[in-house]
Amino acid sequence: MVTLTFDDGDADQMAAARVLRRYRLPATFYIITGAVGTPGYVTRSDLSQLAADGNEIGGHTVSHLRLTALSTAEARRQVCESRSILARWGYQAISFAYPGGAESPETEAIVRGCGYTSARGVVGLRAPGCPDCAVTESVPPRDPMALRTAGEVDSSWTLGDLERTVTAAERHGGWLPL
């Protein structure tokens, strides 16, 4: 199983969303709620379209701050307030992505305490920079509050890198969040 995820709610992700809609491929969009409607980010209307297309809307804090660098109170505010904002907008966010992948046992407890049922990091699975990492996340995941991924797919990845990552996961079985 391959899951496509997008962090931050950048406005240019709407182009990817249109392609996904054409092929009926849902994804998860992790949203920085404080950025919604500001230049370079999705709008409330974009969020409505994403949800209407069957995509999941997940949390990614209010301000995209590294939770491990914050006080416990501020980390809790960033996570819980982001989820509350999404709920006020009509989205029942249950998935969270750690900004910058910065997680710890303390941040995992905060995310769980704010009502999320899963949280995604940015490393842990086989990728071009981690050839000895696990191929896939287990089903069910070993730690739902620290889901592993094949790193951040960015311009350094080639089509061959993506193909190798997906076909290795297909041979191995399990879950591949990208």
Side-chain angles (χ1 to χ4, degrees):
M1 172 175 54
V2 175
T3 303
L4 301 175
T5 68
F6 296 84
D7 287 11
D8 302 344
D10 296 326
D12 62 2
Q13 293 171 355
M14 292 306 294
R18 286 187 292 278
V19 173
L20 294 171
R21 178 178 53 229
R22 185 176 334 136
Y23 293 101
R24 296 189 180 122
L25 295 171
T28 300
F29 289 81
Y30 295 106
I31 303 300
I32 304 168
T33 54
V36 172
T38 65
Y41 291 91
V42 296
T43 63
R44 294 271 305 276
S45 177
D46 292 334
L47 288 179
S48 294
Q49 184 64 57
L50 289 170
D53 291 343
N55 296 296
E56 177 185 17
I57 305 299
H60 200 41
T61 72
V62 174
S63 307
H64 201 254
L65 302 173
R66 292 173 92 67
L67 297 177
T68 55
L70 303 175
S71 68
T72 300
E74 178 59 13
R76 184 175 294 110
R77 187 191 76 76
Q78 286 283 325
V79 175
C80 292
E81 181 63 18
S82 178
R83 187 164 189 262
S84 294
I85 291 168
L86 290 171
R88 282 195 304 273
W89 292 346
Y91 309 106
Q92 296 306 311
I94 59 170
S95 300
F96 182 83
Y98 297 101
E103 62 184 271
S104 67
E106 293 78 19
T107 59
E108 289 179 28
I110 289 168
V111 170
R112 184 181 295 107
C114 290
Y116 289 100
T117 60
S118 68
R120 199 212 68 213
V122 294
V123 296
L125 297 181
R126 187 172 299 164
C130 191
D132 296 326
C133 288
V135 176
T136 57
E137 180 63 80
S138 58
V139 179
R142 65 183 181 145
D143 182 353
M145 302 316 286
L147 299 174
R148 299 174 292 171
T149 70
E152 295 184 61
V153 177
D154 59 19
S155 61
S156 70
W157 284 58
T158 66
L159 179 57
D161 292 332
L162 281 169
E163 289 174 346
R164 280 188 293 282
T165 302
V166 172
T167 55
E170 182 179 42
R171 283 191 306 273
H172 184 270
W175 178 22
L176 176 62
L178 290 173

